[in-house]
Amino acid sequence: MTPPMLYYRPGGIAEKVLAHCTAIKQPFNPTVWAPNAHVQSAMGMLRGLSANGNYKRQLILTNDHGTLGLDWWGGADKPSYAAHDVPVVLFIHGINGGSHEGYVKWACVAAASRGWRAVVLNMRGCNGLPLTSARGYNAINTADVHIAVQSIHRCGSLMVLPFIGS
């Protein structure tokens, strides 16, 4: 096996970060029960089916009439879920994904197991949200993330830890 190819601009912070990422420079050796990309993809899909929990959707309307969705995991939207100073972990799905994706569900399970509030931001037109504005989801534009964080703060949460999924 050969190590993965890394593409980045030499120098600066990239060199400093990569110096601490020794595992990324090693060859990838899959487990015997998932020996190729096809099996790994199927297992990823099946893993999403095994995350037990549910969401409660909070709709957010933006100034340009866009619709965003905050999906709160396992009752994390309720004040009785945890103290107001418990971190809220905001997960952001990848291109055309949403809170229904297996990796997002398992991220919510991991956050909840630590006692944190977990919420997923579903972007415009994704995961069943209607596209109600001229502007659709654009991963480069962070304005919608800012709007979601403001909305979470208005719910009384003091600390939001943003994480980005892909």
Side-chain angles (χ1 to χ4, degrees):
M1 293 248 159
T2 60
M5 296 293 297
L6 300 176
Y7 299 94
Y8 60 95
R9 184 175 298 167
I13 194 166
E15 299 284 340
K16 292 176 184 174
V17 170
L18 286 173
H20 296 283
C21 300
T22 56
I24 201 168
K25 297 174 187 172
Q26 298 173 4
F28 174 69
N29 294 311
T31 61
V32 293
W33 43 268
N36 61 52
H38 301 292
V39 176
Q40 292 163 17
S41 293
M43 293 189 73
M45 191 263 315
L46 293 173
R47 186 173 188 218
L49 300 175
S50 66
N52 293 325
N54 55 2
Y55 293 107
K56 180 178 178 190
R57 179 159 288 177
Q58 172 191 347
L59 294 178
I60 302 171
L61 299 177
T62 64
N63 289 338
D64 68 345
H65 307 289
T67 304
L68 306 173
L70 287 177
D71 283 356
W72 293 88
W73 178 260
D77 61 314
K78 297 183 176 87
S80 60
Y81 180 85
H84 73 285
D85 59 345
V86 166
V88 175
V89 184
L90 174 62
F91 295 101
I92 304 168
H93 63 78
I95 300 295
N96 204 29
S99 59
H100 65 286
E101 300 289 346
Y103 71 93
V104 176
K105 288 181 182 179
W106 276 102
C108 289
V109 167
S113 72
R114 289 167 176 77
W116 300 341
R117 296 175 190 268
V119 62
V120 182
L121 172 58
N122 292 283
M123 297 297 197
R124 302 166 184 244
C126 294
N127 196 18
L129 286 175
L131 189 55
T132 57
S133 65
R135 184 166 62 92
Y137 169 41
N138 181 339
I140 295 173
N141 187 335
T142 60
D144 288 346
V145 176
H146 182 71
I147 291 167
V149 170
Q150 287 178 326
S151 179
I152 293 167
H153 280 297
R154 279 194 295 276
C155 292
S157 298
L158 297 177
M159 186 180 352
V160 179
L161 304 173
F163 284 81
I164 299 178
S166 58

